[in-house]
Amino acid sequence: MAVSDHDLIDAWKHVLTLSKLEPGQIVTVLTSSTTHPQTLSTALTAAQLMGAMVNRLDLPPVNGEKALSRDALAYLGTTPLTGNRAAIAALKESDLVLDLMTLLFSPEQHDILASGTKILLAVEPPEVLVRMVPRLDDKERVAQAARRFEGKKEMRVTSAAGTDLRCPLGEFPVIQEYGFVDAPGRWDHWPSGFVLTWPNERQTSGTLVIDRGDILLPMKRYAQEPIRVTVEQGFVRSIEGGLDAELLSEYMASFDDPEAYAMSHIGWGLQPRAQWTTLAMYDREATIGMDARAFEGNFLFSFGPNNEAGGTRTTACHIDIPLRRCTVSLDGDTVVRDGKVLDGFTYSTAKEGA
Ligand SMILES: O=c1ccc(O)c[nH]1
């Protein structure tokens, strides 16, 4: 169901308050051809209600003729900002950018963040944004999960379906996604609620079994039958199974880029308001699938770029695959067992945990 302007303005004001927006600060709302009109209009209204100086920067879409999907997270690397000095200058001069276009995984995003600008990505449908409006609890839970990585040398992931993967750790930072940007230079994504990092370059080895019901993104498909992926020295060496395996394999091959097969981020979902079932309720192009990336207890892994974590791989091919029913441990410290998060976290009873 749709949500009212009132509810979405309220949600924006909540997120902007958590993001420490101050009166007189400059907010630039970044839009393109796929920006949702209600998300845009309510963002502009909420920021103005909070006393910000508000701009809108609309950029033409790019990559349409190269990508095989209109999902902004499917084809990465170049963005409408690439080479656009004037637009980048405006965003660097802003205190907060509300990205309703998708800059994620772009070199320009890092350039803008380095200037101290905060960037909040928000491209899911309005009702998804309202359902998963971030709470302080979300930040606390994700921060608690991030602390479990401290000093750990290896993530081990296993499942009854046959996954058995070893990911040496330590070369890359741990990234917390909790839905608001409460520090200068921070990027986040509303909605979210998960923790992720990158395995040490070229060191991941083992088997990933994408079981029936696990989700393939950006395909936005539930796998109908198991896909068996072998990984050696940080790169995918084989993808075996039935039609889903063939679709995944052919899609990745179409980029003709060896970096598409590199291990990208790994982590687990912590958002109880995200649901594994949601993807079945939406047309494929209506969402980018954040319920799938954030649902509590998933093991989310990814193939492709690592520039988000400071690496040099900027391949356009980006695959995100959340698995159910995995056991994830960090040097023997089990953080998820059979798809259940083991953190004993209790949510505050305060309204929205604000
Ligand atoms: O929020 C996101 C979205 C996609 C992704 O791969 C990582 N984080």
Side-chain angles (χ1 to χ4, degrees):
M1 266 78 83
V3 288
S4 67
D5 285 357
H6 169 266
D7 289 352
L8 193 47
I9 287 168
D10 249 8
W12 270 117
K13 283 168 62 181
H14 185 77
V15 173
L16 295 174
T17 302
L18 289 174
S19 300
K20 300 180 179 170
L21 178 63
E22 301 291 337
Q25 286 188 322
I26 297 176
V27 173
T28 298
V29 183
L30 186 58
T31 62
S32 188
S33 57
T34 56
T35 296
H36 192 292
Q38 188 185 26
T39 304
L40 170 58
S41 63
T42 52
L44 294 168
T45 301
Q48 290 175 74
L49 283 171
M50 293 179 67
M53 192 177 299
V54 183
N55 304 310
R56 174 187 172 180
L57 176 60
D58 188 67
L59 297 171
V62 294
N63 297 331
E65 76 289 356
K66 289 180 272 187
L68 300 183
S69 151
R70 285 187 280 190
D71 182 318
L73 286 178
Y75 193 95
L76 302 172
T78 54
T79 74
L81 276 185
T82 305
N84 189 334
R85 291 192 319 278
I88 291 171
L91 299 181
K92 281 183 171 179
E93 285 305 310
S94 305
D95 297 292
L96 171 62
V97 171
L98 301 180
D99 177 5
L100 310 188
M101 178 193 83
T102 305
L103 287 175
L104 188 57
F105 290 99
S106 68
E108 294 79 22
Q109 175 161 292
H110 290 276
D111 191 21
I112 293 160
L113 292 170
S115 73
T117 298
K118 301 184 283 188
I119 301 179
L120 181 66
L121 174 61
V123 294
E124 282 289 59
E127 69 280 4
V128 176
L129 294 175
V130 174
R131 171 164 49 92
M132 288 191 270
V133 66
R135 306 161 43 137
L136 274 177
D137 285 326
D138 293 329
K139 173 178 180 179
E140 179 45 42
R141 189 178 197 186
V142 172
Q144 181 182 295
R147 288 194 290 272
R148 304 279 286 270
F149 275 98
E150 280 164 17
K152 301 292 173 45
K153 297 274 184 283
E154 180 185 83
M155 178 187 283
R156 177 92 185 277
V157 188
T158 59
S159 74
T163 290
D164 190 347
L165 192 76
R166 291 177 181 278
C167 306
L169 303 171
E171 283 177 9
F172 294 103
V174 176
I175 292 181
Q176 300 180 39
E177 292 198 29
Y178 47 77
F180 54 94
V181 285
D182 50 348
R186 175 171 172 76
W187 170 87
D188 209 316
H189 188 173
W190 168 31
S192 59
F194 48 90
V195 66
L196 54 87
T197 187
W198 271 254
N200 292 350
E201 194 61 0
R202 299 184 183 282
Q203 292 180 25
T204 298
S205 63
T207 301
L208 284 156
V209 175
I210 303 162
D211 204 6
R212 186 170 183 279
D214 291 334
I215 292 174
L216 300 165
L217 298 172
M219 297 81 183
K220 310 213 187 72
R221 280 171 67 92
Y222 294 93
Q224 303 298 305
E225 51 194 330
I227 303 171
R228 194 174 193 80
V229 178
T230 56
V231 180
E232 288 164 11
Q233 294 174 332
F235 279 73
V236 172
R237 303 296 179 195
S238 68
I239 300 174
E240 292 155 343
L243 175 59
D244 288 317
E246 201 174 341
L247 280 167
L248 177 61
S249 182
E250 289 289 307
Y251 175 77
M252 292 174 74
S254 73
F255 285 80
D256 192 22
D257 181 351
E259 289 190 353
Y261 296 89
M263 279 303 291
S264 185
H265 54 79
I266 53 176
W268 65 96
L270 291 159
Q271 181 51 264
R273 290 174 285 155
Q275 298 296 330
W276 168 74
T277 55
T278 305
L279 204 63
M281 315 305 280
Y282 274 82
D283 294 341
R284 193 161 290 169
E285 290 198 327
T287 93
I288 58 167
M290 288 311 291
D291 276 87
R293 288 187 181 87
F295 73 83
E296 206 170 28
N298 75 24
F299 166 62
L300 174 66
F301 72 91
S302 175
F303 297 142
N306 69 351
N307 61 309
E308 209 53 30
T312 56
R313 281 191 277 101
T314 58
T315 178
C317 180
H318 172 236
I319 307 285
D320 277 336
I321 302 179
L323 303 182
R324 296 187 298 168
R325 302 170 184 158
C326 287
T327 294
V328 181
S329 56
L330 302 171
D331 290 359
D333 172 22
T334 302
V335 290
V336 179
R337 180 174 292 121
D338 294 336
K340 291 279 174 278
V341 176
L342 302 182
D343 63 1
F345 189 82
T346 49
Y347 285 87
S348 72
T349 51
K351 183 175 178 304
E352 291 175 359

